Amino acid sequence: MFLALLELRAARGRFLLMGSVVVLVAALVGIVSGFTTGLGDDTISALRRLPAAQLVFSSDARSDQFARSLLDEETAAAWRKDANTDATPLGVSITRGTTNRGTEVDLAAFGVEPDSFLSPSVTRGHGLAHAPADSLVMSAKLADEGVRVGDILVIDRLGIRLHVVGATERSSYGHVAAAYVPLKTWQRIRFSTPGAPASSAVAIPDQFSALALRTPAKAPTAELDARHSTTTLTKEKAYEAAPGYTGERVTMNSIQVFLYLIAPLVVGAFFAVWTVQRQPELALLRALGASRRRLLAHTVLQAALVVVLGTAAGAVLAGAVGLLVGEQVPFSLPAATLAATMCTVAAVGLAGTALTLRRVTRADPLTMLGANR
């Protein structure tokens, strides 16, 4: 250990350079992890907060189910009877509106029955239960964009006026702030013809995007789907129906995987060159009686100090970036995620040193005794 620390001090320039590379790699992995988590939350946080175990869609919707699926009350009634569980309609669509104070916002309208288990709890104002039909409960993300409780929000091109009666936790869908409205109001938003008078007598279909099941169906879902021409997904599987969720996850995870592959190669290349340069010193230690195990411990200790300290500094840098960007971009790096990511970086970095261990054990003491002369 003494010799390892002595070499770190003697060649501090080289080790600082290598440590800096580890810091940057670790920080980059942490930042990418933060963006991966943040983008995921910004896409599906509203779905994640739904108190539902499964979601039922129409069978003809193979992708983007929330946009393409349509079910009716007859199907819902049949599902409630056969599944033997609490079920309630859910409508999801993205629209745009303007408040009476001129604030323009995009919003993901979630249509729910006001007295159902999907009705959101509020942190300010009033909930949808016992509220007028034109009420809206906004997420905190809409409040960040300038919408206030008491505002009147007019849906663009439809002229539908909604009164903001309350606010709930921060949530979004497809990177758009969520807002909760009664199902009948959602149906007007989803099926009304743009430009038509608000008083138009055109019938609004009694349909919705999905059926939310509070607990898993008691009967096999495959049998129920075949009977009612539906497709049942767990809530977690339904995340893939959110726009852009799958593509974003694949992209960001691919970047992380490549960084995990780069880390051991960089660390291994450095210590391979360092070991080649130290061959005479290693041979001298062997000639003086040092065992191969001691030389291995000496090399692993040096690598561990460089990798662990560099990774710790990278974690601090990644955390600082998270604090710096705040809520300006979708970035989320919980302590557990950061710790797991940094442990993985340290593990793969140390794995890279395995490339050098064979050369360390093959140091020949005869080199220092003149065998090469």
Side-chain angles (χ1 to χ4, degrees), residues 4 271 275 278 282 294-304 353 356-357 360:
F271 279 99
T275 302
R278 295 165 57 230
L282 294 174
R294 186 171 182 180
L295 293 183
L296 285 175
H298 163 81
T299 302
V300 171
L301 177 62
Q302 284 184 338
T353 63
T356 68
L357 297 182
V360 171

Side-chain angles (χ1 to χ4, degrees), residues 216-229:
K218 302 297 189 296
T221 56
E223 178 183 333
L224 294 175
D225 286 336
R227 186 183 307 167
H228 302 297
S229 299

Side-chain angles (χ1 to χ4, degrees), residues 122-183:
V122 296
T123 55
R124 283 183 293 144
H126 305 284
L128 293 178
H130 311 297
D134 60 352
S135 299
L136 177 148
V137 172
M138 64 175 180
S139 76
K141 188 173 181 179
L142 271 180
D144 296 340
E145 297 177 13
V147 182
R148 303 174 185 173
V149 175
D151 283 354
I152 296 177
L153 182 69
V154 181
I155 303 300
D156 292 355
R157 300 190 302 162
L158 299 178
I160 299 175
R161 296 168 61 87
L162 303 174
H163 293 79
V164 182
V165 298
T168 185
E169 296 178 345
R170 184 182 182 88
S171 60
S172 56
Y173 170 80
H175 304 298
V176 178
Y180 301 86
V181 297
L183 184 63

Side-chain angles (χ1 to χ4, degrees), residues 42-264:
D42 207 45
T43 304
I44 62 165
S45 59
L47 298 179
R48 186 179 289 141
R49 289 194 172 93
L50 290 177
Q54 293 175 318
L55 292 170
V56 181
F57 301 95
S58 59
S59 59
D60 58 345
R62 302 297 182 183
S63 62
D64 298 329
Q65 286 92 337
F66 288 107
R68 299 179 179 181
S69 170
L70 285 176
L71 297 175
D72 54 28
E73 185 55 41
E74 182 180 351
T75 303
W79 252 94
R80 290 189 189 97
K81 178 181 178 181
D82 295 343
N84 192 25
T85 184
D86 194 3
T88 186
L90 171 66
V92 180
S93 60
I94 296 177
T95 185
R96 184 173 177 82
T98 306
T99 68
N100 56 317
R101 293 182 295 103
T103 303
E104 298 181 357
V105 292
D106 294 317
L107 64 150
F110 277 64
V112 299
E113 294 287 3
D115 56 350
S116 71
F117 62 87
L118 291 184
S119 186
S121 58
V122 296
T123 55
R124 283 183 293 144
H126 305 284
L128 293 178
H130 311 297
D134 60 352
S135 299
L136 177 148
V137 172
M138 64 175 180
S139 76
K141 188 173 181 179
L142 271 180
D144 296 340
E145 297 177 13
V147 182
R148 303 174 185 173
V149 175
D151 283 354
I152 296 177
L153 182 69
V154 181
I155 303 300
D156 292 355
R157 300 190 302 162
L158 299 178
I160 299 175
R161 296 168 61 87
L162 303 174
H163 293 79
V164 182
V165 298
T168 185
E169 296 178 345
R170 184 182 182 88
S171 60
S172 56
Y173 170 80
H175 304 298
V176 178
Y180 301 86
V181 297
L183 184 63
K184 294 295 184 183
T185 301
W186 177 85
Q187 290 168 343
R188 291 173 58 206
I189 295 173
R190 174 68 172 80
F191 298 112
S192 293
T193 302
S199 59
S200 176
V202 177
I204 300 297
D206 188 16
Q207 295 178 318
F208 39 87
S209 303
L211 189 65
L213 309 183
R214 174 174 257 175
T215 58
K218 302 297 189 296
T221 56
E223 178 183 333
L224 294 175
D225 286 336
R227 186 183 307 167
H228 302 297
S229 299
T230 57
T231 299
T232 304
L233 301 175
T234 63
K235 186 174 68 172
E236 290 73 20
K237 188 66 176 178
Y239 294 163
E240 298 177 6
Y245 178 75
T246 302
E248 289 173 354
R249 298 287 292 184
V250 171
T251 300
M252 302 305 290
N253 287 334
S254 299
I255 295 174
Q256 274 191 289
V257 169
F258 277 109
L259 290 174
Y260 286 141
L261 294 176
I262 290 171

